[in-house]
Amino acid sequence: MNSRNWVRLFFSTLLLGGISTAITGFIVRWDKYESLFSSMDVAGILLVLVLLFGVGLIFSIISQMGFFAYLTVHRFGLGIFRSVSLWNAVQVVLILFVLFDIVYFRYRFFAEPGASVIPYISIAVGILLVGALVAYAKKQQTNNEAFIPALFFMIVVTIIEWMPALQINDQNWLYLMLVPLLVCNAYQLLILPKLNAERQTKKS
């Protein structure tokens, strides 16, 4: 990918992160911000919008760091295992391990005595479903071998990027960070082949 496409990817993902965080923020904290809309407090709405957008820029940068880190790790994995099928098997094991951990350890450390484990499972299942949908789209876009790497990125890398909110364990922050990360990660994963295709077209 040339420098022009990298800059395009960087700023478009940055914008997407800011917008998705602003929208998510108003939804998850509607009980707090509803009064701003009911009273038509334009200045207050704009202030919150700017703050949420700024937070979203940070989430977007975290997402982009994770994306380029994964591209490097993926190449290392292919080089070490020297087999796509073996590297994919390792990724599947890591996906299952991380999904189990995100349920087990969050429930163990943060759940109240006697609390249901269902909310903790629900988040993991939600991430899995979103990851599977994006991975399927990636497979349709490229080839069948892209499914597992895309699923790994959408689940494992997203959860690693999500760690700051997981440590706080505040429900609002959990969703405020998770949604933009999923949006930005999916966008980068699906837009990269298009950018590379445009580059090849211009060369020819």
Side-chain angles (χ1 to χ4, degrees), residues 153-170:
F153 173 69
M154 289 300 300
I155 294 176
V156 176
V157 177
T158 297
I159 290 175
I160 292 173
E161 295 167 347
W162 195 32
M163 285 302 296
L166 288 173
Q167 292 174 342
I168 297 173
N169 197 46
D170 179 271

Side-chain angles (χ1 to χ4, degrees), residues 47-100:
L47 178 60
V48 173
L49 183 63
V50 170
L51 290 175
L52 289 172
F53 189 86
V55 172
L57 299 183
I58 298 174
F59 293 162
S60 172
I61 292 173
I62 293 173
S63 169
Q64 295 188 60
M65 290 171 62
F67 181 62
F68 285 101
Y70 172 70
L71 293 178
T72 303
V73 169
H74 183 61
R75 289 298 175 187
F76 273 116
L78 290 173
I80 293 172
F81 294 100
R82 300 182 181 278
S83 168
V84 173
S85 59
L86 181 57
W87 172 229
N88 282 346
V90 171
Q91 291 181 94
V92 170
V93 171
L94 291 174
I95 289 170
L96 296 175
F97 179 77
V98 169
L99 286 174
F100 172 80

